[in-house]
Amino acid sequence: MLLKDIQTIFHKELDAEYGSHEVDSFFNILINYYLSLERITLVLEPDLNLTKTEEQPLFEALARLKNHEPIQYIIGETEFFGLNFKVNQHTLIPRPETEELVELIINNVASIKVEKSLNILDVGTGTGCIAISLANKLPNAQVTAIDISDEALQIAKQNALNNEVQIKFIKADILNKDDIDSKDQKFDIIVSNPPYVRNLEKAEMKKNVLNYEPSSALFVSDDNPLLFYKAIVEFTVDNLKENGLLFFEINQYLGQETKGLLAEYGFKNIQLKKDIFGNDRMVNATK
Ligand SMILES: C[S@@+](CC[C@H](N)C(=O)[O-])C[C@H]1O[C@@H](n2cnc3c(N)ncnc32)[C@H](O)[C@@H]1O
C-alpha cells in the first residue's frame, strides 16, 4: 500500500478522537520509529510503496491508538529534556511540566554552597527522568533515586545506562520510615513528583491516562491528598542539609495547601510556580 494511503486511513480512523494535527504527529512518529522515514518523505515521496511487512506495525499501532493507548507505550520510548527514555505500563510517561521542574532545579543549583559533590535525591523516580536529566546536566552531582516499584526501577536503571549516567537506585517506600532511614548521607537537594491526583479528579482525565498509566504513580485519596508531600517533608527533617533545597511538582489545585505544609515545617523562601499552561505546578523552598 502507498504510504500516503495509509496516512489517509489513519486520519479517517483517528481524527474524530484526536484531531488531525495530533494524528499527523502520531503518523510521523510511527514511520520514523518503524521505518526510519523522516516526515519530509510524505512530501517528497508520496507514492512510496510499503511492503506488507512494513505496513504491519503501522496498522497494529493504529488499532492500539484507537483503543486510546498512549503512543509512548506503543513505541516504548519518549523524549524528556533532550534525552531518550524507555517507558512501559509500569512507568508514568514523563510530562513537559516535569521538564520545567528539572529546569527550575538547574537554575537554582548555583545558589547552593557545595562542599565536594552535590547530593541529590529523587523520590518516586519512575522512568528516572528527573534523576537522569539532572545527572546529565550537573556533572558534579551524586544522584540517588528511590521508587517503590521494582518494575519502574528496572526501566530507570536501563535508562541510566542508555544515557550514560551513574545513579544510585534504591527500592524504598517513602511512606515507611524503616525503609528510608538514611544513616549515611544528607542531601543538598531533594526533589519529587509524587502521586498527587485525587480520585475526585478522575472525571476530568482522558482515557489514555486512566486506562493505561499506572494508578500507583498517579492517585491519592480525596481526604489525604498531601500524604506523599508530608512524608517527604518529614524525611527532610533529618536528611536535607541546612539551607538545602526542596523541589516538588504539585497538584495544580493544592498550591496553597502545599505551601502551608512547608511553612509548618519551617521552610524559607517558599515559592509557588506556574507551568507553561498557567497552572500552579511547582513549589520550591529552602530548609
Ligand atoms: C507521578 S510518578 C513520577 C515518576 C517520575 N518521577 C516522573 O516525574 O515522571 C510517581 C512515582 O512514585 C512512585 N511511588 C508511588 N508510591 C511510592 C512510595 N510509597 N514510595 C516510593 N515511590 C512511590 C511510583 O511508582 C511512581 O514511579
Side-chain angles (χ1 to χ4, degrees):
M1 196 179 275
L2 300 185
L3 185 63
K4 69 175 181 194
D5 291 341
I6 301 178
Q7 189 186 29
T8 305
I9 295 173
F10 266 65
H11 280 297
K12 214 170 115 215
E13 300 278 342
L14 300 173
D15 277 9
E17 183 65 33
Y18 294 100
S20 155
H21 186 70
E22 194 161 4
V23 174
D24 273 336
S25 157
F26 290 157
F27 196 69
N28 289 328
I29 291 171
L30 292 168
I31 62 170
N32 185 263
Y33 183 76
Y34 290 116
L35 307 171
S36 303
L37 296 177
E38 296 300 326
R39 143 202 327 230
I40 193 78
T41 314
L42 281 159
V43 182
L44 298 180
E45 295 179 71
D47 291 330
L48 185 76
N49 210 344
L50 300 188
T51 65
K52 278 262 171 286
T53 318
E54 287 170 329
E55 281 171 26
Q56 193 193 341
L58 300 180
F59 283 112
E60 280 169 9
L62 173 63
R64 293 170 73 176
L65 287 167
K66 278 178 81 170
N67 271 333
H68 308 280
E69 187 168 348
I71 184 108
Q72 295 89 341
Y73 289 156
I74 296 173
I75 64 169
E77 64 181 37
T78 193
E79 201 195 293
F80 181 89
F81 223 76
L83 301 173
N84 188 278
F85 285 86
K86 298 261 169 248
V87 296
N88 68 16
Q89 74 274 23
H90 301 292
T91 60
L92 191 88
I93 298 165
R95 304 291 205 270
E97 299 91 297
T98 311
E99 291 183 304
E100 293 187 64
L101 181 70
V102 171
E103 182 102 55
L104 182 68
I105 298 171
I106 291 169
N107 291 340
N108 276 272
V109 158
S111 70
I112 294 192
K113 275 207 184 74
V114 183
E115 287 143 33
K116 254 162 68 198
S117 60
L118 186 70
N119 269 320
I120 302 179
L121 174 70
D122 174 26
V123 179
T125 199
T127 52
C129 59
I130 298 174
I132 292 167
S133 304
L134 289 173
N136 176 264
K137 288 284 168 208
L138 305 170
N140 76 331
Q142 298 269 350
V143 185
T144 304
I146 71 169
D147 204 290
I148 196 169
S149 158
D150 279 320
E151 293 88 353
L153 285 169
Q154 216 178 316
I155 289 283
K157 282 177 190 167
Q158 207 181 323
N159 283 327
L161 210 61
N162 293 348
N163 286 299
E164 299 176 352
V165 294
Q166 299 265 349
I167 310 274
K168 185 173 171 190
F169 289 107
I170 300 171
K171 179 183 169 157
D173 176 357
I174 191 68
L175 303 178
N176 180 350
K177 281 204 165 55
D178 296 340
D179 251 17
I180 52 169
D181 213 6
S182 127
K183 288 145 198 90
D184 37 332
Q185 65 173 333
K186 286 198 178 207
F187 296 97
D188 299 289
I189 293 178
I190 295 179
V191 53
S192 186
N193 172 19
Y196 61 66
V197 183
R198 290 169 294 181
N199 284 310
L200 63 85
E201 290 159 39
K202 278 186 179 168
E204 61 185 66
M205 294 175 79
K206 290 193 178 153
K207 283 191 197 145
N208 58 345
V209 179
L210 277 178
N211 296 350
Y212 287 94
E213 296 203 72
S215 51
S216 55
L218 287 165
F219 296 109
V220 285
S221 69
D222 293 345
D223 52 5
N224 194 8
L226 296 185
L227 171 75
F228 285 95
Y229 296 86
K230 192 151 193 288
I232 295 164
V233 168
E234 276 175 4
F235 178 77
T236 66
V237 172
D238 288 333
N239 300 289
L240 182 63
K241 291 181 189 167
E242 279 314 307
N243 294 312
L245 304 181
L246 178 60
F247 294 88
F248 280 139
E249 182 170 320
I250 62 157
N251 182 317
Q252 66 188 86
Y253 305 117
L254 298 172
Q256 293 308 328
E257 289 83 347
T258 314
K259 274 179 83 175
L261 174 68
L262 293 181
E264 218 179 283
Y265 279 78
F267 274 83
K268 307 170 282 196
N269 310 324
I270 305 167
Q271 295 186 46
L272 178 59
K273 299 234 159 55
K274 291 191 191 303
D275 61 24
I276 30 161
F277 307 110
N279 297 317
D280 287 339
R281 187 61 69 201
M282 292 154 273
V283 168
N284 65 304
T286 308
K287 187 171 166 187

